[in-house]
Amino acid sequence: MTGRVLVVNCGSSSLKYRLVDVAAGEALAWGLAERIGQPEGRLTHARAGAEPDVAEQPLPDHEAALTAALAAFDRTGPALADAGLVAVAHRVVHGGDRFSAPVLVDDDVLRAVRELAALAPLHNPVNAVGIDVARRAFPDLPHVAVFDTAFHATLPAAASTYAVPREWAREHGVRRYGFHGTSHAFVSRGAAELLGRPLEETNTVVLHLGNGASATAVAGGRSVDTSMGMTPLEGLVMGTRSGDVDPALGAHLHRVAGLGPVEVDRALNGAGGMLALAGTNDLREVHRRIADGDDAAVLALDVFCHRVRRYVGAFMAVLGRTDAIAFTGGIGENDAVVRARSLAGLEPLGVRLDDERNAVRAGGARRVSADGSPVAVLVVPTDEELEMARQTVALLAR
Ligand code: AMP
């Protein structure tokens, strides 16, 4: 697989991009536009081997952010015109029932991405803007949409179906889709490689623990269950998202506090999770507060790890035989305490961590379980942009 791909990832108020050399598996340049739509925007642009270039500038919308990013390539390089670009890859959060693999973008696909905003109102509209602006900037290149939900298209009906009135599913797309698919695909493959086993014969519980967090049961390279559902709110405790709550919560808060559905939705997505419990969504700060004797931070970490453990147990049961548990994401890759606390006491299930290996701070994919642990515990750093670039080149080669 060869070629260079510009990967664009539009979030609700940010835009990340990366120029990826697929054959080398590395980034030649990358950047981040932050605080889009707020008075003080910032664009950080970096090329391999050079100091990042930081520009404080207003970025009124995603169009302005992508335009500023392209200008940064012109200013500090590498020049995109000479970069050997073969495609632009776009992250799209929700592919609904329609997209189960990356697709070449045409007007019809772009319209579908916009229509799927009903299921992902914060994400799909800005994903569509990114595609639109980039298509105008690079009219001669193929543009490929890579969907967060696609890897979970293999979910069996038993795992994807909510027990709700059937017309909700039929008419309004109410079912479980799952997210973080690009990361779960990359990490489950990396886990099999680290174990030296064929992907088709490897069963892994992947724990993507970052500001967003999800667990996936991957059987032979296929997603068979995942913690996020119709939206990315379900499942694990996250930075600002509650994860699982009683579905009756909304009606209860309406009755007792007069809260409307939009307020509850906003709070569960933006003011829940670690932010609600500990007062910060940054796990490093949670640890600092615990060291300072903050009881709320202690409870927050307990809740976080308890929820991870619950999903580990559930997904080991779903898989039947588990070869590996693979941690990834900012927390999964870096936080030895979370890894240890989430798996403590699971020795009877064949999960034996090696405390010393787990405590070592290291980059790269590595094993942190004890020799002879029936279930290997791995840390596999995720690289969603590389995975998107690979999938894009693979699609073009077909
Ligand atoms: P992500 O969304 O994958 O970028 O992950 C962000 C989360 O990773 C935040 O909660 C950070 O606090 C956490 N994180 C990043 N580095 C570390 C670290 N060295 N130790 C613990 N947590 C970390």
Side-chain angles (χ1 to χ4, degrees), residues 240-262:
T240 67
R241 285 176 235 158
S242 62
D244 295 335
V245 291
D246 189 322
L249 187 66
H252 174 74
L253 289 170
H254 180 64
R255 280 193 303 272
V256 299
L259 294 185
V262 175

Side-chain angles (χ1 to χ4, degrees), residues 8-12 15 36 60-67 90-92 110 113-114 122-137 143:
V8 178
N9 179 355
C10 286
S12 47
L15 184 158
I36 297 172
D61 52 29
H62 286 76
E63 172 151 12
L66 188 52
T67 305
H90 299 270
R91 180 180 188 186
V92 177
L110 186 54
V113 168
R114 288 204 178 98
L122 292 181
H123 294 102
N124 272 43
V126 293
N127 298 155
V129 170
I131 294 173
D132 197 29
V133 177
R135 281 175 94 201
R136 278 186 270 128
H143 290 254

Side-chain angles (χ1 to χ4, degrees), residues 16 180 208-213 238-239 274 280-288 304 328-338 361 382 384:
K16 283 192 251 176
H180 286 148
H208 178 112
L209 309 180
N211 203 30
M238 309 181 212
M274 298 305 280
T280 171
N281 62 339
D282 187 330
L283 256 284
R284 288 163 294 197
E285 177 61 19
V286 172
H287 287 297
R288 281 192 282 274
F304 185 93
T328 197
I331 299 165
E333 292 167 30
N334 296 301
D335 197 324
V337 174
V338 164
R361 294 203 146 274
T382 194
E384 291 168 277

Side-chain angles (χ1 to χ4, degrees), residues 1 5 7 20 22 89 146 384-394:
M1 285 193 289
V5 176
V7 178
V20 178
V22 176
V146 182
E384 291 168 277
E385 285 80 11
L386 176 58
E387 177 68 19
M388 287 173 63
R390 281 181 181 160
Q391 292 189 11
T392 295
V393 169

